[in-house]
Amino acid sequence: MSVDNKPKAIIVGGSIAGLSCAHALISAGWNVLVLEKSISPPKGSSTGAGIGLDLLSQQIIKSWLSQSQPFEELSFPLTIDQNVVTDGDNTIRILTRDEKFTFRAAHWADLHGLLYSDLPHEIFLWGHLCLSFYVSEDKTSVNVKAKALQTDEIIEINGDLLVAADGSLSSIRRTFLPDLKLRYSGNCAWRGVVDFSGKETSETIIGLRKVYPDLGNCSYFHLTTGSHIVLYELRNQKLNWVWYVHHPEPELKGNSVTMKVSSDMINNMYQEAEKVWPPEFAELIKETKEPFLNFIYDCDPLQQIVWENVVVIGDAAHPTTPHGARSTNMAIADAAVLGKCLGKWGVENLHSALEEYQHLRLTVSSKQTILPLYCNSHHLFQSRE
């Protein structure tokens, strides 16, 4: 137990899942320490791309923040969800149109910055890699060994709980499930964000708005033979696009499913886009600075996400495809439910709290991993408030 008699959680991972967990646990009366291998917090909007936030995530995020206004300012309302298809004569036909869509779009870096800025900065250990951990024999504490990447100094940290928010290739999950192998989907996603500020009347933007007239408050899902794209607008005059393509399974290096791409790969991608998509969208891709590749993996639903004083959340708990904007939304809900359970049971009943968390989130994540829609975590979360 920490010196101020508050229980202490060690969170491994400083992405949105880890930051969400920090907010939720602090709200539940816990001290937290966040270990992140990146040397410093992300700066600027060059990191990441667009994310879609469902209504539950919006409510949870605003409940954590000292002021809700900044969230509204950085996110963009998406009130329409529209699926379109390119017909044989290259005309675009509407398949489905939902005008009661309740998502908001945000840039990953903007949301990360908002969550980070509203947390005590002294709780972060940037540039620290988790090396190992062990739970005490009496199951009352956990010890984490980490290395400072800039100095190679090894430190040890004690806490009451270890939270693994270290992504779909989680090294902590691998400790408990060494034989679990992620399943490659056969697809990767080219991603990019285009800043069109000062270029609103350019031929590219005008042409794109003719092809996709509801841009601004609509999330477009455009299908063609063997492929599809997602397109929507972000705040500050930016457009986010995702293009899913078939691709052989790569040899992943390190702990990331994101790949840096060569100029030859980008040029080949341009050529393929011209063959498949309307010229206006192909031109948008060409104007994208630093497009990148995400390779898409998932796995069958896990049967366990808690081991004694260790719990996994976010992509570490349920690696899934990005369809339906599930990854970030599930991570935010994981964090919120974990915080609710810990606040309800108290540290003296930690294992009961974790058992309840596991039951609630496995029920949801099993359905989310199997089904392509974000189903009923809203109901499960509300039922425990």
Side-chain angles (χ1 to χ4, degrees):
M1 190 79 69
S2 43
V3 292
D4 58 3
N5 293 323
K6 286 185 177 181
K8 179 180 179 179
I10 303 164
I11 302 170
V12 175
S15 190
I16 287 175
L19 267 59
S20 296
C21 196
H23 275 282
L25 268 59
I26 289 172
S27 297
W30 281 59
N31 285 331
V32 301
L33 182 68
V34 181
L35 298 177
E36 167 54 44
K37 62 180 182 294
S38 300
I39 300 301
S40 62
K43 294 181 180 178
S45 60
S46 60
T47 303
I51 52 178
L53 298 167
D54 64 19
L55 188 58
L56 175 60
S57 290
Q58 297 168 38
Q59 295 168 345
I60 292 171
I61 290 168
K62 286 189 283 189
S63 75
W64 289 334
L65 301 176
S66 54
Q67 295 180 319
S68 62
Q69 183 180 357
F71 174 75
E72 307 290 344
E73 293 173 350
L74 70 82
S75 61
F76 206 95
L78 298 177
T79 59
I80 302 171
D81 180 36
Q82 189 159 262
N83 291 357
V84 299
V85 64
T86 302
D87 283 334
D89 58 357
N90 290 325
T91 60
I92 294 177
R93 176 167 52 92
I94 297 174
L95 293 177
T96 63
R97 180 180 172 91
D98 177 5
E99 297 189 5
K100 297 181 179 179
F101 204 48
T102 56
F103 275 59
R104 294 186 75 91
H107 195 289
W108 184 94
D110 291 340
L111 180 61
H112 187 279
L114 179 65
L115 292 171
Y116 175 66
S117 64
D118 221 42
L119 287 167
H121 290 185
E122 63 270 16
I123 70 173
F124 290 88
L125 285 180
W126 297 100
H128 282 73
L129 177 67
C130 176
L131 298 176
S132 62
F133 63 90
Y134 66 87
V135 176
S136 63
E137 290 186 7
D138 61 3
K139 310 296 190 289
T140 61
S141 66
V142 60
N143 176 277
V144 174
K145 185 179 292 185
K147 180 170 75 171
L149 297 178
Q150 290 184 307
T151 64
D152 288 335
E153 178 189 4
I154 305 297
I155 63 171
E156 291 193 28
I157 310 158
N158 284 297
D160 300 280
L161 174 67
L162 173 61
V163 181
D166 53 344
S168 61
L169 300 177
S170 169
S171 61
I172 294 175
R173 184 192 66 220
R174 190 163 57 245
T175 301
F176 299 105
L177 301 173
D179 297 326
L180 176 69
K181 292 185 178 180
L182 299 188
R183 176 174 53 214
Y184 181 54
S185 67
N187 293 278
C188 65
W190 279 100
R191 305 203 63 177
V193 174
V194 175
D195 184 343
F196 64 91
S197 54
K199 304 175 184 177
E200 298 89 340
T201 58
S202 69
E203 185 176 338
T204 299
I205 299 302
I206 290 175
L208 200 71
R209 292 196 185 281
K210 287 182 179 179
V211 176
Y212 303 102
D214 289 310
L215 269 180
N217 62 345
C218 179
S219 174
Y220 276 97
F221 192 89
H222 188 162
L223 296 92
T224 191
T225 303
S227 186
H228 58 282
I229 61 173
V230 178
L231 177 67
Y232 53 83
E233 192 166 340
L234 301 169
R235 285 288 186 197
N236 301 317
Q237 298 175 307
K238 293 181 174 65
L239 287 168
N240 178 82
W241 61 267
V242 188
W243 177 16
Y244 296 92
V245 298
H246 298 303
H247 195 284
E249 184 170 4
E251 292 185 15
L252 294 177
K253 297 180 179 179
N255 204 34
S256 175
V257 294
T258 299
M259 176 184 285
K260 292 183 179 180
V261 292
S262 66
S263 57
D264 286 344
M265 294 172 68
I266 293 174
N267 288 331
N268 289 336
M269 183 262 291
Y270 291 161
Q271 294 174 20
E272 289 301 313
E274 290 175 343
K275 298 175 186 176
V276 175
W277 298 114
E280 295 83 358
F281 181 75
E283 193 59 37
L284 179 73
I285 290 178
K286 289 182 180 179
E287 294 189 14
T288 305
K289 295 180 179 178
E290 299 182 356
F292 61 94
L293 270 176
N294 275 144
F295 289 90
I296 300 171
Y297 289 81
D298 68 358
C299 71
D300 291 332
L302 301 186
Q303 302 302 307
Q304 187 174 356
I305 53 174
V306 169
W307 292 267
E308 297 171 342
N309 295 49
V310 182
V311 57
V312 294
I313 73 163
D315 287 346
H318 34 68
T320 187
T321 71
H323 297 92
R326 289 170 294 159
S327 176
T328 300
N329 289 295
M330 290 172 72
I332 292 169
D334 284 349
V337 173
L338 178 60
K340 290 287 184 180
C341 291
L342 293 175
K344 169 185 171 181
W345 287 93
V347 69
E348 63 276 8
N349 297 299
L350 175 61
H351 295 99
S352 296
L354 295 180
E355 183 179 341
E356 181 175 27
Y357 164 80
Q358 176 171 256
H359 169 72
L360 290 174
R361 296 314 292 165
L362 284 182
T363 303
V364 173
S365 63
S366 295
K367 295 178 180 179
Q368 292 295 348
T369 305
I370 295 170
L371 299 177
L373 296 174
Y374 195 79
C375 22
N376 64 347
S377 65
H378 194 179
H379 165 73
L380 284 171
F381 182 74
Q382 286 188 326
S383 69
R384 295 291 170 173
E385 292 208 293

